[in-house]
Amino acid sequence: MQIRKGLNTDLPRLECCDFSFTISRIAREPFIHGDLHIETVAEPWIKTYELDIQTLENHCVNPDAIFLVAETDDGEIAGFITASIGWNKFISVDYIAVERTKRRTGAAQKLMAAAHVWARSVNAPGLRLETQNVNVSACLFYRHYGFTLGGYDRYLYNALPEKDEVALFWYYMLV
């Protein structure tokens, strides 16, 4: 698997990928010192995020951003990551997604490592990202990678149908 710069020509291919995931576990409060109290849900469901193509296009041309693609040896897209320099100089991981059939292949690890290298190259103090308490696999990946749960917002998604979702903010300090 290789990590390469994402191109505008990758966008239609990304739209064909399945980045959905099954929610079978959920992290519950209290979120103290990064602890995750994980419960199994009674009825699992599928969560799908819509790709914001305009954001991806912007990451292709923005000098303060990256758009990287993980590609298998036979040319299939395994996943992608986008990140940008935030107002506080932290690198904001805006998207990281791995195609459902390519999970547990190391794609997420390689994408995050590439973002980490870029963050160091621009002298960022660290990386930050946001996910939800229903994305337990992602939370466990971030924690395993070395991110620390820095905070949460139980109201961020209240206007959406997913009212039980809590935004979790993860940080990886470089300095």
Side-chain angles (χ1 to χ4, degrees):
M1 183 169 311
Q2 69 170 346
I3 305 300
R4 62 168 176 79
K5 184 177 190 249
L7 306 168
N8 276 332
T9 55
D10 292 318
L11 301 179
R13 295 175 62 204
L14 286 172
E15 288 183 301
C16 295
C17 292
D18 180 3
F19 297 119
S20 68
F21 58 97
T22 302
I23 297 171
S24 58
R25 301 175 294 168
I26 188 168
R28 297 278 187 204
E29 292 184 62
F31 302 109
I32 300 172
H33 308 295
D35 289 338
L36 294 176
H37 303 281
I38 299 170
E39 300 174 1
T40 301
V41 299
E43 294 183 39
W45 71 94
I46 304 287
K47 173 93 176 181
T48 303
Y49 292 107
E50 290 187 32
L51 289 179
D52 181 350
I53 297 300
Q54 184 62 54
T55 297
L56 296 177
E57 287 175 344
N58 291 344
H59 278 76
C60 288
V61 296
N62 182 349
D64 291 333
I66 59 167
F67 168 36
L68 303 172
V69 171
E71 198 169 61
T72 63
D73 293 338
D74 58 356
E76 292 183 28
I77 289 183
F80 73 99
I81 191 169
T82 63
S84 55
I85 301 173
W87 64 270
N88 60 358
K89 304 301 181 208
F90 269 79
I91 298 303
S92 174
V93 176
D94 303 311
Y95 271 112
I96 181 169
V98 176
E99 213 284 339
R100 185 180 273 271
T101 62
K102 306 290 189 286
R103 295 190 181 136
R104 306 198 69 72
T105 62
Q109 181 78 26
K110 289 180 180 185
L111 288 164
M112 191 62 76
H116 187 136
V117 167
W118 180 65
R120 284 201 181 281
S121 77
V122 297
N123 297 313
L127 294 93
R128 68 168 295 282
L129 58 86
E130 179 262 327
T131 192
Q132 301 79 37
N133 64 322
V134 297
N135 197 346
V136 172
S137 294
C139 292
L140 294 174
F141 167 74
Y142 301 138
R143 188 171 69 183
H144 178 75
Y145 190 86
F147 280 78
T148 300
L149 183 59
Y152 65 98
D153 183 343
R154 72 172 67 96
Y155 303 113
L156 187 62
Y157 300 109
N158 272 8
L160 303 175
E162 301 87 5
K163 292 189 188 317
D164 289 339
E165 291 190 19
V166 176
L168 302 177
F169 300 94
W170 295 86
Y171 291 85
Y172 187 103
M173 307 307 282
L174 295 173
V175 292

